[in-house]
Amino acid sequence: MPPPPTPRPPVPPPHHHLLKKPTSLPDVIFTAFSLLVLFSTSPKPTCLFFHPSNNKLSFPLSVRKFPKMAGTFTTTSNSRNTARLPPPFATPQSLSDWLKPRLAADLFGSWGVKPGTKNIHNLWLEIVEGETFLADSMPPVRTVEVVVVRIIRNDGKVLIESHQELSNGAVRHRCRPLSEKMKPGESVEAAVFRAVKEELGSLVKIVNGNNRNGVGGLNETVKILPGSYMKKVEERASASYPGLPACYVLHKVDAEVEGLPEGEFCTEEVNEYGASEQRGVADSAVSCKKHYWKWVDSDSV
């Protein structure tokens, strides 16, 4: 008989040879430092919010933004879109509903009631016409660009509007130079001519024809003094809309206007909202019927 096979030594488990020696402390410190550098230099992801109501993710809103519109609007006078954009509020009532929880009730309730104030229809028309922009903040901030015309006489005196007579019989005190809200896409020069025509046109001589700004004949009557332009931004409470903070972007110029009386005088405004397409709303707004003017020393303006 052949001899039995010689027994082989037991084979160690296959995982024994995969075991590694423990990692040294310097290796651990180096690995931790590398991970720290990696995460500190990586761009931070944008935080997202989940809204259970619509099962959608959305980016966080900024503290102040403008209500959504159908296009892009800017507040600079030379870059506003001249096309009429749909208003962010369909009706004055929708604007009122949006403002109520954002303003003090007593101040908001005084709009159009307190002498010299305007009402919700006025503000809605300003937004529709592109003259006013509301920031979605608490409280909202009204931003409006205004052209201010210091009309200077030969003796150095400056014309100011002392007060206005409104359609509701109230008197609104002004004590400031000729001022007018600017239209979208309107240049400062065009705004000056339009302001003079609308508020002083019943007295100044207007020659037939149109100038390059589309205002007939006013370039023969109104002279903007070179080098007088100045831009200024003011933030203050609105006298027209109590409780609503306002940011006024003022475009100031000096000008000479021919044909104005030397003493105090009054001009009538036939229809402040005559060019508005929102005839029904305009009838409910507070409008200006008469402007009262006087000449004062230049250092008092």
Side-chain angles (χ1 to χ4, degrees):
M1 287 182 69
T6 305
R8 296 180 180 180
V11 179
H15 63 274
H16 284 183
H17 73 282
L18 297 177
L19 293 177
K20 297 181 180 179
K21 63 180 181 178
T23 306
S24 63
L25 181 59
D27 291 337
V28 173
I29 295 176
F30 177 79
T31 302
F33 178 77
S34 300
L35 292 175
L36 178 62
V37 172
L38 176 63
F39 283 102
S40 63
T41 57
S42 300
K44 295 181 180 180
T46 303
C47 181
L48 298 174
F49 289 104
F50 178 75
H51 296 277
S53 60
N54 54 16
N55 296 326
K56 293 182 180 180
L57 290 175
S58 64
F59 291 95
L61 299 178
S62 58
V63 177
R64 181 176 296 179
K65 67 182 183 65
F66 291 105
K68 291 182 179 180
M69 287 185 163
T72 302
F73 245 27
T74 61
T75 57
T76 54
S77 60
N78 59 355
S79 60
R80 287 186 189 177
N81 190 347
T82 56
R84 183 69 56 81
L85 298 182
F89 304 100
T91 63
Q93 184 59 50
S94 64
L95 173 60
S96 178
D97 294 340
W98 184 83
L99 285 172
K100 278 182 180 178
R102 293 169 168 81
L103 297 177
D106 57 336
L107 296 177
F108 184 54
S110 69
W111 290 17
V113 178
K114 181 180 178 181
T117 62
K118 297 181 179 181
N119 60 30
I120 193 68
H121 298 85
N122 292 92
L123 183 60
W124 187 82
L125 287 170
E126 290 180 12
I127 295 173
V128 170
E129 300 295 332
E131 297 174 344
T132 286
F133 303 89
L134 282 183
D136 187 1
S137 55
M138 294 292 289
V141 177
R142 169 179 171 250
T143 299
V144 55
E145 297 207 23
V146 180
V147 64
V148 180
V149 188
R150 282 186 6 127
I151 299 176
I152 303 176
R153 206 166 61 178
N154 292 335
D155 59 2
K157 289 187 178 293
V158 176
L159 183 69
I160 68 166
E161 184 180 23
S162 60
H163 61 281
Q164 297 175 344
E165 182 180 321
L166 305 180
S167 58
N168 58 4
V171 173
R172 184 183 183 207
H173 295 282
R174 300 283 284 171
C175 296
R176 66 186 65 177
L178 171 62
S179 304
E180 187 73 22
K181 292 185 290 293
M182 299 180 67
K183 303 290 186 181
E186 188 175 41
S187 68
V188 173
E189 185 181 12
V192 170
F193 290 128
R194 181 175 59 83
V196 172
K197 181 180 180 181
E198 291 181 359
E199 300 196 10
L200 298 172
S202 59
L203 293 177
V204 299
K205 180 181 179 182
I206 300 179
V207 182
N208 292 330
N210 292 323
N211 61 12
R212 57 192 175 90
N213 297 294
V215 183
L218 283 178
N219 58 339
E220 302 293 334
T221 307
V222 181
K223 178 184 178 183
I224 299 176
L225 301 184
S228 64
Y229 173 80
M230 182 178 65
K231 183 178 180 180
K232 184 179 180 181
V233 178
E234 293 182 358
E235 295 183 355
R236 61 177 185 266
S238 172
S240 299
Y241 308 103
L244 182 64
C247 175
Y248 297 96
V249 183
L250 306 177
H251 302 269
K252 299 183 175 183
V253 298
D254 294 343
E256 295 176 351
V257 178
E258 298 179 1
L260 295 177
E262 294 185 358
E264 296 185 8
F265 60 94
C266 169
T267 57
E268 293 187 5
E269 186 143 354
V270 178
N271 196 339
E272 184 177 0
Y273 298 105
S276 176
E277 298 176 0
Q278 308 294 332
R279 188 66 267 162
V281 178
D283 290 340
S284 300
V286 178
S287 59
C288 178
K289 293 300 183 183
K290 291 183 179 181
H291 303 269
Y292 292 84
W293 309 89
K294 65 180 181 180
W295 298 95
V296 298
D297 295 332
S298 59
D299 56 3
S300 64
V301 181

